[in-house]
Amino acid sequence: MVILSGPDPQRGMLEEILSKKLLDYKERVIFIKGKVESVQAKEQVGNILYYNFMTSNELEQAFNESKVVLCRSGYTTIMDLAKLRKKLFYSYSGAI
């Protein structure tokens, strides 16, 4: 599962990079772009099922069913994934 959030252009740049990289990935991928729009859109491209956004219930189900979560996240997302005992990839870009 990939879930993106945050402001553009960074969110969009990461979406573009990950979309290209994941085409070679052999497993199925749910990719939530984090773009809230008036209508939910889904698109299947190879092994990747793209959503522009998901409802809270859909997100909960996707988190529960995913083995690995790749995200650009904040504190709450990290804590939620820790509670669900999910494998998680994230990066920290803040200054210390």
Side-chain angles (χ1 to χ4, degrees), residues 1-15:
M1 173 181 174
V2 175
I3 182 166
L4 299 181
S5 62
D8 279 318
Q10 290 80 15
R11 189 212 54 78
M13 290 172 11
L14 184 56
E15 176 187 329

Side-chain angles (χ1 to χ4, degrees), residues 20-81:
K20 289 176 185 174
K21 297 284 186 186
L22 289 170
L23 285 175
D24 294 330
Y25 188 65
K26 302 299 180 207
E27 301 291 328
R28 294 182 306 149
V29 177
I30 294 175
F31 194 121
I32 302 109
K33 298 179 181 182
K35 297 169 76 174
V36 179
E37 299 170 329
S38 59
V39 176
Q40 185 186 58
K42 293 190 273 187
E43 178 185 15
Q44 184 79 43
V45 178
N47 60 321
I48 306 170
L49 178 57
Y50 290 96
Y51 286 81
N52 53 344
F53 68 90
M54 282 187 164
T55 65
S56 295
N57 289 337
E58 290 169 328
L59 277 173
E60 180 180 359
Q61 182 175 351
F63 275 123
N64 287 331
E65 293 176 359
S66 297
K67 293 177 187 173
V68 177
V69 178
L70 194 151
C71 62
R72 186 170 177 249
S73 64
Y75 174 80
T76 303
T77 303
I78 293 168
M79 298 306 292
D80 289 344
L81 294 171

